Amino acid sequence: QVQLVESGGGLVQAGGSLRLSCAASGTIFSINVMGWYRQAPGKQRELVAAITWGGSTNYADSVKGRFTISLDNAKNTVYLQMNSLKPEDTAVYYCNANIVRRGYNAMNYWGKGTLVTVSS
């Protein structure tokens, strides 16, 4: 089995910063991509940022220049540094990973989510 455990959410004032972490554990053979999605109340889940195991990144236009995704390959951990936070960044942030287990095809896994609240 595979588990994704997120941490780092919380309440912050507009203009502030938070750093989210997500550690993948379990019977992992390899990881293709790790990323962060978010879902605000009444809205669909959307991609925030993603990073391949080789380090290629992709960001939503709304967070470019403010958020930075990074990877610690040795720890199977992805980070999301969020700066200049805005009230519209308020959402539950979910970690996602495309992982290969030995003997299985690659599958997508999700964390339980961590709440980020940005006050104005």
Side-chain angles (χ1 to χ4, degrees):
Q1 297 295 334
V2 171
Q3 298 83 36
L4 300 180
V5 178
E6 303 126 328
S7 61
L11 173 64
V12 64
Q13 288 188 333
S17 298
L18 282 175
R19 188 191 193 210
L20 305 183
S21 300
C22 171
S25 63
T27 54
I28 296 171
F29 178 69
S30 64
I31 299 178
N32 294 319
V33 181
M34 295 189 78
W36 292 93
Y37 287 71
R38 67 186 180 187
Q39 187 165 18
K43 295 187 177 182
Q44 289 187 332
R45 190 173 298 190
E46 62 176 359
L47 174 69
V48 177
I51 185 167
T52 68
W53 212 242
S56 297
T57 59
N58 182 36
Y59 294 93
D61 287 343
S62 59
V63 307
K64 283 180 181 177
R66 300 188 298 122
F67 291 10
T68 302
I69 191 168
S70 60
L71 195 58
D72 185 331
N73 303 66
K75 295 181 178 180
N76 289 345
T77 299
V78 65
Y79 304 95
L80 185 68
Q81 178 66 43
M82 305 186 293
N83 298 329
S84 302
L85 282 160
K86 304 175 181 180
E88 50 264 44
D89 294 318
T90 295
V92 177
Y93 284 69
Y94 295 92
C95 179
N96 174 270
N98 187 265
I99 293 174
V100 179
R101 297 169 58 202
R102 191 179 297 277
Y104 295 85
N105 293 329
M107 291 181 59
N108 276 327
Y109 295 87
W110 291 92
K112 294 182 178 180
T114 184
L115 177 62
V116 172
T117 304
V118 184
S119 63
S120 57

